[in-house]
Amino acid sequence: MKKEILVMLTASALTVTAVACSKDEGVEINNDIAHKSSGQSAETTSSQSESSYSLEQNEIGENMSADEKEANELFQFYADHNQFGKYVKSVEKREKTILVTLGNSYEEMKKSQPFNIQYNEVTFPELYGSYVKNDDYSNLNAYLIVRTAYTLANYDDIDRVIVNVPKNSKGKFYVADVKREDINLVLGFDVNTLKRGDKETDLGEEFITKFANEYSYKQSDFYADANTRYINKFIKQSSQPIKVDKDAVAIINTYYLPIEDRPTMTKLFRNATEDILYADYITDNFNVTSNGIELELDNKIIEEKGEEETQKALVYISGRLLAEFPELQNVTILAGTEKLKVNRPDLTKLIGKDISTLVDIDQGEIANWNDWATDFVGTYVDGNKLSTYIKAFQK
């Protein structure tokens, strides 16, 4: 579920994000043209707050021009990537050119993708240090190659695609600049023939078989290698980002997520707990507050499992939720007379790291919880530090 565009909680505390790929403030659309909004989302315990936010966002969506809708759609497409999607900062349409700008900080991500709750300030990864290790640009190149080519294949009104990636350790921007006429020459055929069919999903069969499989990664050291030719023609390091002196018809600085794609915090909570250990004991008596979640376990857990196992359940569930939602600050959990109030800063002091760093969400469609199971569950639930955790957060 970490790889879906999740949506959530509040401007004051749990601002939610979700990416269909891999969004505090409202949607800011078309900065130097029209439609602006600085409205904040706030799903607290008040249903009125949630409905008023939804109405405001809905009106913005309905007021989008065709160009803005297209740019917003492309924003989602570029953000729909496990590694590099989180860095998408803006998508501009300037006449027949699409200009995509990537950022490299948590603050930039929260402004451009306010519904993205996959990270907090501690867990947000630095682009080059995390994904371009030892100057290996192969994954970044594959991202740029596939995204730029797909854009030209599927958007007939676009003749040029530019992607500006922030400065690397050498102070150079990494940029892709692909024109339709040039890619047609490189391919030896019209890129439009790779267009995804109306009933196809993902990138489309033609695009995958005739382009992505051949061009995404280097296949050989031969000079005519498709990946090498694409990179040499369209991707380079530059002292400056590429700019476009064309009239802007759409600028999306903040991704707009339609209401129907925004799950409530109730749904997020249920999705996160429906198949975990002790799920059968979680009651419907839970509450989303301005800075956390309060929940109760059915008293039958004490009768059926005993006191020690009940304590393990409290530790397991609180640690699971704080690991699942990096922006969540507090989890209060009750079972009979046993109550824990776990806050992220104190938990970080206890275990020596932010618990969300134990979950790897960037390497595949399914999050890897192995480190969390070993380092947290193995130590504080099943290990010898159960009583330490209980004493630290018992109320």
Side-chain angles (χ1 to χ4, degrees), residues 27 29 64 67-77 91 252 254-258:
V27 175
I29 301 172
M64 278 186 176
D67 289 318
E68 289 169 342
K69 290 179 180 178
E70 182 178 81
N72 191 70
E73 182 176 272
L74 282 166
F75 195 120
Q76 178 178 337
F77 173 64
V91 174
I252 304 296
T254 303
Y255 174 70
Y256 171 77
L257 186 64

Side-chain angles (χ1 to χ4, degrees), residues 24-41:
D24 119 331
E25 294 178 326
V27 175
E28 183 183 1
I29 301 172
N30 205 12
N31 273 0
D32 20 343
I33 308 173
H35 317 309
K36 287 188 181 180
S37 172
S38 59
Q40 291 185 320
S41 69

Side-chain angles (χ1 to χ4, degrees), residues 85-131:
K86 66 181 96 28
Y87 301 107
V88 178
K89 182 179 177 180
S90 66
V91 174
E92 303 178 20
K93 183 178 182 182
R94 294 182 173 272
E95 294 185 0
K96 292 181 175 294
T97 298
I98 288 294
L99 174 62
V100 181
T101 302
L102 273 57
N104 195 13
S105 71
Y106 172 78
E107 291 74 18
E108 288 173 312
M109 184 205 72
K110 289 310 297 181
K111 181 176 180 180
S112 62
Q113 303 178 35
F115 296 106
N116 192 324
I117 57 168
Q118 295 178 312
Y119 305 93
N120 58 27
E121 292 181 356
V122 175
T123 62
F124 190 81
E126 198 277 331
L127 191 156
Y128 291 98
S130 299
Y131 306 119

